[in-house]
Amino acid sequence: MKILVPVKRVIDYNVKPRVKADGSGVDLANVKMSMNPFDEIAVEEAIRIKEAGKADEIIAVSVGPAKAQETLRTALAMGADRAILVETDDTVEPLAVAKILKAIADEEQPGLIMLGKQAIDDDSNQTGQMLAALMGRPQGTFANTVEIDGGSVIVKREIDGGLETVKLTMPAIVTTDLRLNEPRYASLPNIMKAKKKQLDVKSPADFGVDTAPRLTTTNVSEPPVRQAGEKVADVDAMVAKLKALGIA
Amino acid sequence: MATTGMDPEIFDQFIDQLKRYVRERLIPAEAEVIANDRIPDDLLDEMREMGLFGLTMPEEYGGSGMNVPQYVETIRVLSYALPAYRSITSINLGMVCSALKNSGTDEQKAEWLPRLAAGEIACFGLTEPGSGSDSAAMATTARKDGNGYVLNGSKRYITNAPHAKLGLIMARTSQEALPRNAHVSAFLVPMDSPGISVGKPDRKMGQSGSHIADIYLDDVKLPGDALLGGEEGKGFATAMQSLDNGRLSVGAASAGYAQRILDTALRYASERKAFGEPIANFQLIQAMLADSRAEIYAAECMLRDASEKADKGKAIIECASAKMFASEMCNRVADRCVQIHGGAGYLAEYEAERFYRDSRIYTIYEGTTQILQLVIAKNMLREFAAGAAA
C-alpha cells in the first residue's frame, strides 16, 4: 500500500506573525518557514504505519513555491520515500489543492491519503474534506488514533466532548489532529540520505488545474490588544462597578 | 586548501533541526540532567541517532564529514543548552577523531571511526598528577613487550573517562626526554582492557552531567597495532595537531552558552519590576545588556574567521585568540546576568547561578587564558623574528 502525504510550507510556528502595513496579508519577507505542524504529524503517522509493515511506500506532495522543496526534503529526511512538488507562486486555495491532489491520487493510487487537519497559516480546514468529496471516498477527520485493519482504517476522531470511532474502507482520507503523535526529528544521517531521494517537480497545468484564486481577501488586521484590568478597593466597589457595566 | 565539508543545503537543514531539538528536547531535560548529574540513557541514544557523535568523521566511516566552520557552528548551536551535552560528544568529535584522521593507520581508522561516529564514547589521556602541558615530566610508561606494549601509570582529570569505550592514552616510549617530545607515543586503548581502572568522578564547581575522573593503568597489555599510526614518538605531535580544533570547540561552547545567558538576562530584565517599571528600562541595566550583545557578536565573528582559517591550515594565533576572548567574554556575560538578577542571581532557584558556575571552566580547559596569552605572544615574536611582521 502507498500512503500519500500532502505537506504545506507555512510560517514557522515559533514566529510571531506581523500584518503588512496595508492590511493585505501577513508579512512573509525574511520570515522563517517550516512544514505545517499538522502535516508533520501526518508524515510521522505514515512512517509509523510503514515501520509496522502495513505500507510499502510514502509519497510526500507539496503545492507551492520552489522553496517548498525544503519542506519536502524534511519529509524525506523524516522517512518519506519520494516527493512531488507541484510548483506555483500563486496563493493556491484549498479547492485547487484538493483538485491537484485528486489528480496525483488518480496516478499513484494510494490506499491512504493522510494530511494535517488544517494549515496554521490560513486555518482553512478544508483541503482534506474537499479531496474526499472530489474523490468520492470516505474521510476520517481530526484523527486522534489511526489503525490499519485489513482493507479498512479505523480512526478515532476528536470531537466536542470526546472521541468518535469511524471505520473507513480504503482508499480513504485521514486528517490528523495535534494529539495523534509526536513527530520525530530528522537526524543528520537521514538528512544526508534524503538528499539522494527522488523529488519530481510538476506544475498545476500538468494536472489541468487552474489555480487562480476564487476568493478575495479584503483586509487582514492584528487581533485587538487585551486591555488592562482595573483594581477596586473592596467588594462594594466591585459590585458597584459590575452594576455600572451592566453585568450584575 | 579549504575542505569542502558537507553540502551547505544539508547543513542548513540540519542546523534547523538541531535548533529545534535543543529547544524542544535538550533544554526541557536540563533539570533532570542536573538533578541526577547524568544525561538519561534514552536522551543519549537520541543524540546518537541525531548524528551528534559523527559530525567530524568522514562520510566513508559513518560520519557526516563537516569542515571546521560547520563543526564550530554546530557546537555553538548545541551549546545553547546545558554544557554536558557538548561535553559528552566533544572528545569523539575533537581530539580522538582528529588524531585518527591525521595519524591513524587505515586499519585503525576502519576499526574506530565508525564506532565513534555511532556514539561509542572516547576519552583522551594526556594530563597526569605530575604533568600537564609539560610533557617532559610524563610518568606513564609504555614498555615494549614482544610485539606489543605494557602500559603503567595514571592519568588525571580525564573528561568522559567513566563512560569511555576507547581511550587515546599518551605514554612515554623512551626514558629520556627527547627533543620535540619524541619520547611520547599515543595508544588506542579499549577501556575494558585488563589492568585499567577508572576512579570515582571528581566533584566539580559546575557542568553537571559531565564527568571527569582518573584513569589507572596497571600492567595493561596492548597488541602492537594499538600504537597510533604504528610509529613511536609521534604522540605529542598528534595531540598538538588538534589543539586548534579543541580551542575552537571551547570558544564555540562559550559563545553559544553566552547567548543563552544573555537571553535569560534580557527576559528577566523585561519582567522584573522596580520603582514601578521593568528594570530593563534603566540605563545601567541596558549598558550591561548592550555590552554583552556586542561582545557575543565579536566572539562569533572571531570564531567564524578563525574556523575558516583553521580549515585551510594552521591558525594558531586566531584559534587561541578566539578561544581566549570567547571564554573570558562568556564569564563576563554570566557575571552580568547574575548582577541583573540581583539577589535572585545568587539563588540556586534561578538559572543565573549555574550559568556562572558552568562558565568558569571555559577560561581553564583546552589551554588557560594565561597559556593562550603565552601561545599568542610566542607566535607573534616568532613571526617578528622571521621578518613576517614587516
Side-chain angles (χ1 to χ4, degrees):
Chain A
M1 180 184 72
K2 286 184 192 175
I3 305 179
L4 192 68
V5 187
V7 296
K8 186 176 184 184
R9 181 174 185 266
V10 298
I11 186 167
D12 187 84
Y13 70 98
N14 268 304
V15 173
K16 192 177 183 304
R18 284 178 206 288
V19 172
K20 284 188 202 163
D22 64 2
S24 64
V26 172
D27 190 359
L28 295 178
N30 299 316
V31 169
K32 183 172 159 51
M33 307 288 280
S34 317
M35 190 190 300
N36 176 37
F38 292 109
D39 297 341
E40 212 167 33
I41 292 168
V43 176
E44 175 66 33
E45 195 64 19
I47 297 167
R48 289 186 190 185
I49 292 170
K50 190 184 162 192
E51 283 172 349
K54 292 178 176 168
D56 313 303
E57 192 182 29
I58 300 166
I59 307 156
V61 187
S62 192
V63 180
K67 282 268 188 190
Q69 285 203 22
E70 287 171 14
T71 311
L72 288 170
R73 289 282 171 214
T74 304
L76 293 171
M78 287 174 73
D81 296 291
R82 63 187 167 91
I84 302 169
L85 172 63
V86 182
E87 193 178 327
T88 168
D89 287 327
D90 291 344
T91 305
V92 188
E93 290 170 356
L95 181 59
V97 174
K99 286 179 182 168
I100 292 171
L101 293 178
K102 176 181 185 298
I104 293 175
D106 287 345
E107 268 178 30
E108 300 285 352
Q109 295 292 318
L112 201 56
I113 303 174
M114 186 122 64
L115 65 165
K117 66 169 182 177
Q118 68 196 67
I120 61 166
D121 52 359
D122 57 19
D123 278 343
S124 291
N125 189 346
Q126 293 171 346
T127 304
Q129 294 88 331
M130 286 175 166
L131 177 61
L134 289 174
M135 293 180 67
R137 296 303 311 170
Q139 58 179 303
T141 51
F142 314 125
N144 176 282
T145 53
V146 174
E147 194 193 322
I148 306 290
D149 179 25
S152 304
V153 53
I154 299 166
V155 178
K156 281 199 181 123
R157 306 179 58 229
E158 294 200 7
I159 57 169
D160 287 347
L163 294 174
E164 178 189 60
T165 307
V166 292
K167 186 169 181 180
L168 317 171
T169 307
M170 296 197 283
I173 289 91
V174 172
T175 75
T176 53
D177 214 321
L178 191 64
R179 281 161 288 271
L180 178 57
N181 61 48
E182 255 183 69
R184 68 195 63 193
Y185 300 89
S187 73
L188 182 49
N190 288 336
I191 292 172
M192 293 169 71
K193 279 180 212 146
K195 185 82 181 169
K196 294 178 188 111
K197 290 183 182 172
Q198 183 187 343
L199 194 162
D200 296 322
V201 181
K202 310 250 183 176
S203 77
D206 293 340
F207 304 103
V209 177
D210 165 21
T211 56
R214 268 61 165 175
L215 305 172
T216 318
T217 301
T218 52
N219 187 43
V220 177
S221 59
E222 301 266 358
V225 180
R226 194 169 161 221
Q227 300 296 319
E230 203 179 318
K231 272 189 186 169
V232 290
D234 51 32
V235 174
D236 290 343
M238 183 167 80
V239 172
K241 194 89 196 169
L242 291 174
K243 278 188 175 153
L245 287 168
I247 297 168
Chain B
M1 208 185 349
T3 49
T4 356
M6 185 189 284
D7 180 324
E9 260 179 49
I10 293 180
F11 179 72
D12 291 346
Q13 206 185 342
F14 167 66
I15 288 292
D16 243 32
Q17 288 285 319
L18 180 61
K19 281 183 180 161
R20 209 174 125 184
Y21 185 66
V22 164
R23 189 176 61 231
E24 294 175 0
R25 295 283 298 162
L26 296 184
I27 290 180
E30 284 178 353
E32 191 190 339
V33 176
I34 294 169
N36 302 327
D37 191 24
R38 63 173 289 141
I39 301 173
D41 289 337
D42 56 339
L43 194 59
L44 204 52
D45 283 341
E46 216 175 72
M47 289 172 67
R48 292 184 173 108
E49 271 169 40
M50 283 291 286
L52 290 173
F53 286 85
L55 305 174
T56 50
M57 291 74 178
E59 248 187 284
E60 63 266 35
Y61 293 108
S64 36
M66 283 189 182
N67 60 22
V68 181
Q70 289 170 337
Y71 162 55
V72 168
E73 175 61 8
T74 304
I75 295 301
R76 194 184 67 81
V77 170
L78 176 64
S79 300
Y80 194 80
L82 197 72
Y85 300 126
R86 179 197 77 100
S87 189
I88 195 74
T89 65
S90 62
I91 312 298
N92 287 45
L93 297 174
M95 182 59 76
V96 178
C97 172
S98 105
L100 277 163
K101 273 198 297 194
N102 292 331
S103 313
T105 63
D106 287 346
E107 291 74 23
Q108 287 168 339
K109 289 181 200 175
E111 163 78 10
W112 288 108
L113 285 174
R115 292 171 65 175
L116 296 175
E120 282 190 29
I121 293 162
C123 65
F124 171 66
L126 171 65
T127 305
E128 297 185 355
S131 83
S133 302
D134 54 336
S135 79
M138 183 177 287
T140 299
T141 57
R143 178 168 45 84
K144 194 94 180 138
D145 177 43
N147 286 331
Y149 292 89
V150 179
L151 269 58
N152 278 289
S154 59
K155 296 288 172 182
R156 175 149 292 178
Y157 307 146
I158 306 305
T159 299
N160 294 342
H163 313 287
K165 291 272 192 327
L166 170 68
L168 182 66
I169 305 288
M170 299 291 161
R172 62 192 308 149
T173 37
S174 156
Q175 283 298 327
E176 272 173 76
L178 301 174
R180 299 185 171 274
N181 296 299
H183 53 284
V184 179
S185 302
F187 293 88
L188 294 159
V189 184
M191 291 296 284
D192 57 1
S193 307
I196 291 191
S197 50
V198 174
K200 230 174 89 183
D202 292 296
R203 296 180 60 203
K204 311 185 296 317
M205 178 192 285
Q207 303 254 333
S208 302
S210 87
H211 302 119
I212 58 176
D214 291 355
I215 297 176
Y216 307 104
L217 302 128
D218 185 18
D219 279 332
V220 178
K221 291 189 174 59
L222 296 174
D225 60 12
L227 176 66
L228 183 72
E231 213 180 330
E232 286 185 12
K234 298 283 186 193
F236 206 76
T238 298
M240 293 302 112
Q241 268 181 344
S242 65
L243 278 183
D244 277 359
N245 274 0
R247 287 171 186 161
L248 287 172
S249 174
V250 174
S254 305
Y257 209 40
Q259 187 62 55
R260 165 79 177 279
I261 297 169
L262 179 57
D263 288 348
T264 306
L266 179 61
R267 193 178 323 114
Y268 187 80
S270 304
E271 285 166 4
R272 162 79 181 165
K273 286 190 177 154
F275 307 105
E277 55 184 319
I279 60 171
N281 289 356
F282 303 131
Q283 290 180 337
L284 292 177
I285 299 286
Q286 289 179 3
M288 289 194 269
L289 295 172
D291 283 353
S292 301
R293 177 69 187 259
E295 289 182 35
I296 290 172
Y297 181 51
E300 287 171 358
C301 291
M302 289 174 85
L303 284 164
R304 209 167 298 142
D305 179 70
S307 59
E308 274 164 23
K309 290 193 166 114
D311 203 43
K312 297 184 181 105
K314 270 193 176 170
I316 297 173
I317 292 182
E318 288 81 358
C319 293
S321 302
K323 192 271 183 182
M324 180 172 81
F325 180 82
S327 60
E328 293 284 345
M329 175 281 287
C330 184
N331 276 271
R332 286 194 294 275
V333 173
D335 185 76
R336 290 180 196 127
C337 180
V338 170
Q339 196 68 20
I340 288 169
H341 277 69
Y346 199 69
L347 302 183
E349 197 186 325
Y350 290 81
E351 287 181 319
E353 180 261 358
R354 66 130 159 130
F355 291 156
Y356 187 83
R357 288 183 291 107
D358 285 347
S359 299
R360 196 60 190 82
I361 190 64
Y362 290 143
T363 62
I364 297 170
Y365 62 14
E366 295 288 338
T368 60
T369 290
Q370 290 67 33
I371 284 279
L372 296 176
Q373 286 172 321
L374 298 183
V375 167
I376 295 166
K378 191 172 83 183
N379 281 277
M380 285 168 66
L381 294 170
R382 189 179 290 160
E383 283 176 9
F384 181 74

